[in-house]
Amino acid sequence: MSQSYVFRPENAQLVLGSNDANLPYLEMLMATDLSVRGTAVSASGDVPLFIPFMKRLEKAAEERGGLREAEIFMEFQLLSEPSEADRKSDTPVIVAAGRSIYPRSRAETELFSVLHSSSVVFAVGPAGTGKTFVSVIWALSEVLSGRKGKLLLTRPVVEAGESLGFLPGDLKQKLGPYLNPLYDAAGYVLSPQQIRRMEENGTIEIAPLAYMRGRSVNNAIMILDEAQNATRGQMKMFLTRLGENSQAIVTGDPSQIDLPQKSASGLEDAVGILGGIKGVSVVRFTHSDTIRSRIVREIVRAYSEREEE
């Protein structure tokens, strides 16, 4: 027995990819053979999730455009394990520079929610879960809408065998490699020229964490990325820079501490101290929230299981 689903003509390629490039991945997820004729895709055998999955993918493609492996995977996960948040019709969205960004995991859905309501947000969990991406897009949406005046990006500069002093260039060039993930996220909604202009007029500012001391940051969103490498003193210093009409977002992965003494990390310390304060929210991501790709999710899961042994 086979099942078929017919996409609307404008959506077939958005779901299946150019030259049906997504087909092998869809076959792997549903453990069945698929065939395509025109805008119709057919599954061999009885696959209960096939029709609901195709409907879900078509709706996602209409909202977001062409689907990539990570987005297909998260749609499959949400369909296989629906949550209360996922069943709601009012799915949260962040709009920046005319692009709409939707949550791709249950933890991202929670993060979308608390970003609207909290002055300090901690997003804690493994790599590939979208913590930094969502934080940067949210910050840009606030700045571009005029609700905030500045986006301040900072990371602890932790040397890993090579001193910043030996790297060529000025401070901005030295920091570039450390801040590339933040720029990658911004590049999802803005062109390099737009990002450069925002840097030139001070709308986007980058700074090493150590340079934050003594400042009061007003009407801005401050993002501290890779916060697991901030010491307890640095974390306190960063959070107390928060001025009027400002928001602090702290992202990090406690399993990737590069400090000489892991116990010196200020991330989990801050979460434990501040988690119960009104206006402070903590969103914890796990390997099941990994959206970068299926293989990254399995890598994160394998390391997590080994650490628990």
Side-chain angles (χ1 to χ4, degrees):
M1 183 180 72
S2 64
Q3 300 169 280
S4 294
Y5 182 85
V6 180
F7 292 103
R8 284 186 279 279
E10 65 273 19
N11 294 331
Q13 185 171 326
L14 296 177
V15 174
L16 300 175
S18 179
N19 297 317
D20 301 332
N22 290 335
L23 202 63
Y25 186 63
L26 290 168
E27 288 180 321
M28 183 201 69
L29 284 178
M30 291 184 287
T32 189
D33 293 325
L34 300 176
S35 59
V36 177
R37 172 172 287 186
T39 62
V41 59
S42 300
S44 60
D46 183 17
V47 184
L49 289 178
F50 173 69
I51 297 297
F53 189 30
M54 293 301 106
K55 288 181 178 178
R56 189 182 187 101
L57 290 179
E58 181 160 36
K59 181 180 178 183
E62 288 175 346
E63 295 173 342
R64 310 171 203 176
L67 301 181
R68 297 168 296 176
E69 178 181 312
E71 292 166 316
I72 291 172
F73 177 64
M74 291 313 304
E75 292 297 331
F76 183 75
Q77 184 185 29
L78 290 169
L79 179 65
S80 304
E81 305 171 16
S83 66
E84 181 181 352
D86 183 51
R87 286 193 291 267
K88 295 179 180 178
S89 59
D90 55 339
T91 302
V93 61
I94 296 173
V95 180
R99 298 200 66 170
S100 297
I101 311 300
Y102 296 84
R104 292 170 288 177
S105 70
R106 284 181 289 279
E108 275 198 2
T109 300
E110 182 183 355
L111 180 57
F112 272 49
S113 177
V114 300
L115 285 170
H116 284 86
S117 59
S118 299
S119 298
V120 178
V121 175
F122 291 90
V124 182
T129 49
K131 307 180 302 295
T132 298
F133 177 81
V134 171
S135 299
V136 171
I137 299 300
W138 163 257
L140 287 173
S141 74
E142 291 290 281
V143 171
L144 293 170
S145 68
R147 290 186 290 269
K148 295 289 189 291
K150 173 184 285 191
L151 166 54
L152 193 153
L153 306 171
T154 186
R155 290 176 86 175
V157 177
V158 178
E159 297 174 0
E162 183 175 16
S163 171
L164 276 175
F166 292 101
L167 295 176
D170 57 21
L171 179 62
K172 182 177 182 298
Q173 291 170 319
K174 291 175 187 286
L175 282 173
Y178 290 88
L179 293 168
N180 276 342
L182 301 170
Y183 281 108
D184 289 345
Y188 189 78
V189 295
L190 297 175
S191 69
Q193 294 78 13
Q194 289 173 309
I195 295 173
R196 193 176 306 115
R197 282 197 297 270
M198 292 177 74
E199 287 182 320
E200 290 171 353
N201 64 28
T203 309
I204 293 178
E205 179 185 350
I206 62 172
L209 181 56
Y211 284 36
M212 295 286 291
R213 191 174 302 278
R215 299 182 60 179
S216 179
V217 181
N218 299 307
N219 192 35
I221 292 190
M222 308 187 304
I223 297 179
L224 171 57
D225 193 41
E226 296 290 335
Q228 73 276 2
N229 290 324
T231 65
R232 295 176 181 177
Q234 287 175 324
M235 180 66 72
K236 178 183 177 182
M237 180 269 292
F238 172 78
L239 293 172
T240 53
R241 300 310 93 199
L242 198 64
E244 291 294 325
N245 192 39
S246 287
Q247 181 181 40
I249 305 172
V250 179
T251 67
D253 177 3
S255 72
Q256 295 191 30
I257 298 173
D258 296 319
L259 293 169
Q261 292 184 324
K262 294 185 183 299
S263 61
S265 174
L267 179 57
E268 287 290 2
D269 181 64
V271 168
I273 294 172
L274 306 176
I277 296 177
K278 185 177 181 181
V280 176
S281 294
V282 179
V283 180
R284 290 195 179 272
F285 291 74
T286 68
H287 60 77
S288 63
D289 298 305
T290 302
I291 59 174
R292 191 167 293 164
S293 72
R294 176 188 56 83
I295 190 64
V296 170
R297 179 187 182 190
E298 294 307 315
I299 291 170
V300 172
R301 184 204 297 270
Y303 273 100
S304 297
E305 291 175 349
R306 180 172 183 176
E307 290 168 0
E308 291 171 359
E309 290 178 355

